[in-house]
Amino acid sequence: MIHLNLKQPLVLSAQSNVVVGSRLASSSTAAAAARRGGGARRHMPRISCSAAEEAGGAAVSTIAAEKALTVTATVVAQPAIGVMYAARGLDDIGDLLGKTLLLELVSSEVDPKTGLEKPPVTGFAHKTLIEGRYEATFQVPASFGPVGAVLVENEHHKEMFIKEIKLITGGDESTAVTFDCNSWVHSKFDNPEKRIFFTVKSFLPSQTPRGLEGLRKKDLAALRGDGHGERKAFERVYDYDVYNDLGDPDKNPAHRRPVLGGSATYPYPRRCRTGRPRTKADPETERRDGRHYYVPRDEQFSEVKQLTFGATTLRSGLHMVLPALRPLLMEKELCFPHFPAIDCLYSDGIPLPPGGDSYRAIIPRVVKLVEDTTENVLRFETPAMIERDRFSWFKDEEFARQTIAGLNPLCIQLLTEFPIKSKLDPAVYGPPESAITKELLEKQIKGTMTVEQAVAAKRLFLLDYHDVFLPYVHRVRELPNATLYGSRTVFFLTDAGTLMPLAIELARPKSPTQPQWRRAFTHGPDATDAWLWKLAKAHVLTHDTGYHQLVSHWLRTHACVEPYIIAANRRLSRMHPVYRLLHPHFRYTMEINALARESLINADGIIEESFWPGRYAIELSAVAYGAAWQFDTEALPNDLVKRGLAVRRDDGELELTIKDYPYANDGLRVWDAVKQWAADYVKVYYKSDADVAGDEELQAFWEEVRTKGHADKKDEPWWPVLDGRDSLVETLTTIMWVTSGHHAAVNFGQYHFGGYFPNRPTTIRKKMPVEEGRDDEMQRFMEHPETTLLDMLPTQMQAIKVMTTLDILSSHSPDEEYMGEHAEPAWLAEPKVKAAFEKFSGRMKEIEGFVDECNNNPELKNRCGAGIVPYELLKPFSKPGVTGRGIPNSISI
């Protein structure tokens, strides 16, 4: 982000001694200018000056000479890095002739006599000796008024990235007005329509200067498109579609996947429409043709991110490294023979075949050059939790701690009713009663209190993956080398404020050939029970890992945020204050989602190949969306209350049920800081509740989020109504929290906690040895329980693929923008907003200190102790790379 000394829009005063003759453009140019605003408003003829005479043709002066000002425009731009194309020579000649960019200055005012928009002033910007800098000189009528917009026509045959346009009057730098662009401008040969860039001053629709009203509406109409045709790479059109592009039945009939969204069976948020043709095998499925998925041009990764992180790192890394490893691993289903073999991934590594520096260029943290040789090895960095305590993953204390201070602290809930019962149909799934009984729990808490007393005292907690997974058990078991149970885990809150796991229930529903099977496991007093308990924990961990990746992470952040981005771009003008507040929170999200549909969540993609749901993975996230997603409970305080992890006191403040709950303690501070920033911002632009209710663009945005972006939930009663400032602040805070704090908490610790895959296995391949009571399985388990556990865990190929993926996804890019670190130019242009942002930035720095203080407090045993990884996922700032900390503004990876 550029830090600028921004002033108010350029006001061209009549106090000038420069007198020139203004010129009328040719009649054809005037007609084109009239068409720019549509039939409703007519434009005055365009004034052409300097080199613009060549663009507008011959013109005859018919206006009496009036005072004029000399205005210099400086454009900072750059072409696409490394782009070579056939017409490059013509573009270079155009640069030499001074015909690179045609600029059009638009007044904010209308003609006081006619009430029509004033004629714009045009001129060509020529290339200067400074790389990427272009200049134009205009003679502007002194009565022109404030410049509210600049229109740009790119004369090149290829797109150009424009960072900013600065206007200076009379050579006086103190008059400089900067238009913040940071956008790709298409070639006029691709699209003849000029790009519109508005002043940094924000306006509600009702406050729009009259001279800009037509452009404001025209720009939004262009961004919405017409809903037809296949989208082209240079376009900036935002529209909705269902998830019908994950399968590829033309390539393989087994790759057919259900359409997500638009049905009661599979409700889902909408994605960005690409308009690609449908497959031959399935007319409902969009064709996957191997090309990069369309996203609007300005939503794509910056070239810094492409060059340093690589937009295709994930795809390229896996497509290059994994095929090279397959011959070395001998067979796809090869398991790890012992735990030292897993440890070797972090010490010796796996030799790679000759590949030069290409491996290390793609995934440098994973591929290492052997010292004093030219050989490369695949060697992973030791994850933080294993570096501190290599046996932590095996301990009950860490198993429990990670439910509130690990990668998925969003699922544990207070146990409020006992006995525990399923809500599924008993005729289909079997009796609803849980195998976890009162007697079993009281035995585990050693008679210190009854179950009833523990429930009343809010001492029992539940991790419940029973009803959500039970319908998929038999389907998953039909997949090769896969199994599944429904599970429940009960925890007890100790006097020390830590959680202790009491019991795990694993259940298999009845089927036409088998009765229901369920069993409760505890950490018993003998070796057999102790090992069965460890195997049961592995099943629960894989359930939690799958739910985390598919629901807590992908669904609740990536998928559910995309409709907000589409609606904001379609309905909120670039000069709308709410658009400018939310824009930093939407950076790169659509691009990373497109990459996910291409390589991660697609049929036979990384998720399907490596996580236990297999082909049902994203389908399962649709079921979770339909059953559990609500916009109002995406707000952190509401989510905590819903799960019983907090109560709201009479004074409105939250009281946590688990006092030392690192995710909640840190998260609520971030939430409060974001909400105060949003409230301060909203008050600057909305003076009353009526201003919110009467904002036509804001209301259209929110209506579209509900009825189009989340259309399958449009009639739910919990959608907030934007009828005042308070409801707007709560809504904006929720969106900003999900894109920042929520996503940071579930994403940037993936390698820290999942890089040692036994801690968070993505799949369990074998059933519990006691399920069917087979003598051979039991004998093998009794003789070599460790081997039974290793056989259950992911294969070598699955583990390496997941570890490589998690390393990439846990990484911060060098151009990452963190919460409270960078101010948008439009915020700096408004003194009250600038002051509010500085206050917000200060609060984020205070949170840094708060997190450090908590992590060094020995009384907070869930984040400070021997071998414990400090909880830093909600620590606001970070350096580049895999750090396990940092809250970016947006879902940028």
Side-chain angles (χ1 to χ4, degrees), residues 193-455:
E193 290 293 324
K194 299 180 180 68
R195 281 294 310 279
I196 303 168
F197 295 105
F198 293 109
T199 172
V200 293
K201 184 173 177 58
S202 299
F203 297 99
L204 297 178
S206 61
Q207 300 166 342
T208 308
R210 290 184 61 193
L212 303 179
E213 288 176 348
L215 284 181
R216 183 168 186 152
K217 293 177 180 178
K218 179 181 180 180
D219 193 40
L220 283 174
L223 290 163
R224 288 194 291 269
D226 60 8
H228 299 291
E230 183 173 358
R231 298 270 65 88
K232 299 178 178 62
F234 64 82
E235 292 181 325
R236 299 164 55 246
V237 175
Y238 296 77
D239 205 353
Y240 303 93
D241 208 343
V242 294
Y243 277 73
N244 63 348
D245 60 345
L246 302 181
D248 193 358
D250 283 352
K251 178 180 178 181
N252 185 339
H255 286 183
R256 186 188 299 261
R257 295 293 181 269
V259 174
L260 305 184
S263 71
T265 305
Y266 300 117
Y268 218 61
R270 300 302 192 260
R271 63 168 176 90
C272 182
R273 178 184 176 275
T274 65
R276 291 181 299 183
R278 305 300 175 91
T279 61
K280 297 178 181 178
D282 180 5
E284 292 187 348
T285 298
E286 193 171 271
R287 186 184 302 165
R288 299 169 60 89
D289 53 12
R291 291 178 296 165
H292 185 57
Y293 284 20
Y294 165 81
V295 295
R297 185 62 182 95
D298 285 339
E299 303 296 337
Q300 296 176 27
F301 285 167
S302 72
E303 299 203 332
V304 170
K305 194 174 182 76
Q306 290 182 25
L307 292 175
T308 55
F309 167 78
T312 58
T313 295
L314 187 61
R315 182 172 62 249
S316 301
L318 295 175
H319 286 185
M320 175 182 289
V321 175
L322 293 180
L325 287 174
R326 283 196 176 98
L328 303 177
L329 297 178
M330 302 302 292
E331 56 179 288
K332 185 178 180 180
E333 301 302 326
L334 188 65
C335 298
F336 288 92
H338 40 67
F339 280 97
I342 298 175
D343 296 338
C344 281
L345 293 175
Y346 313 97
S347 54
D348 299 337
I350 300 175
L352 288 168
D357 294 330
S358 54
Y359 298 119
R360 281 183 287 115
I362 295 173
I363 41 178
R365 259 178 53 92
V366 176
V367 177
K368 310 291 174 62
L369 185 68
V370 179
E371 189 174 357
D372 298 329
T373 73
T374 58
E375 298 176 358
N376 290 290
V377 296
L378 188 75
R379 186 170 68 228
F380 293 90
E381 298 286 337
T382 304
M385 64 169 294
I386 298 302
E387 191 170 39
R388 283 176 173 259
D389 182 356
R390 62 177 300 194
F391 301 111
S392 58
W393 68 278
F394 219 48
K395 298 175 182 176
D396 286 358
E397 298 87 347
E398 184 65 10
F399 170 65
R401 191 188 74 87
Q402 287 187 26
T403 63
I404 56 174
L407 193 55
N408 189 29
L410 290 78
C411 289
I412 192 167
Q413 57 187 292
L414 182 68
L415 182 59
T416 58
E417 296 181 356
F418 199 88
I420 305 168
K421 289 187 178 181
S422 170
K423 294 180 174 61
L424 297 175
D425 185 356
V428 177
Y429 298 101
E433 291 79 14
S434 170
I436 299 177
T437 63
K438 168 183 168 68
E439 293 75 20
L440 185 146
L441 292 181
E442 291 178 352
K443 181 180 179 181
Q444 291 302 304
I445 57 179
K446 304 187 184 336
T448 56
M449 60 180 69
T450 65
V451 167
E452 292 78 12
Q453 290 171 331
V455 170

Side-chain angles (χ1 to χ4, degrees), residues 19-34:
V19 180
V20 297
S22 299
R23 298 177 182 270
L24 288 178
S26 66
S27 59
S28 62
T29 305

Side-chain angles (χ1 to χ4, degrees), residues 141-161:
S143 61
F144 193 72
V147 176
V150 177
L151 276 60
V152 179
E153 181 178 87
N154 176 13
E155 307 295 311
H156 278 177
H157 288 76
K158 284 292 182 181
E159 63 185 358
M160 177 179 290
F161 186 80

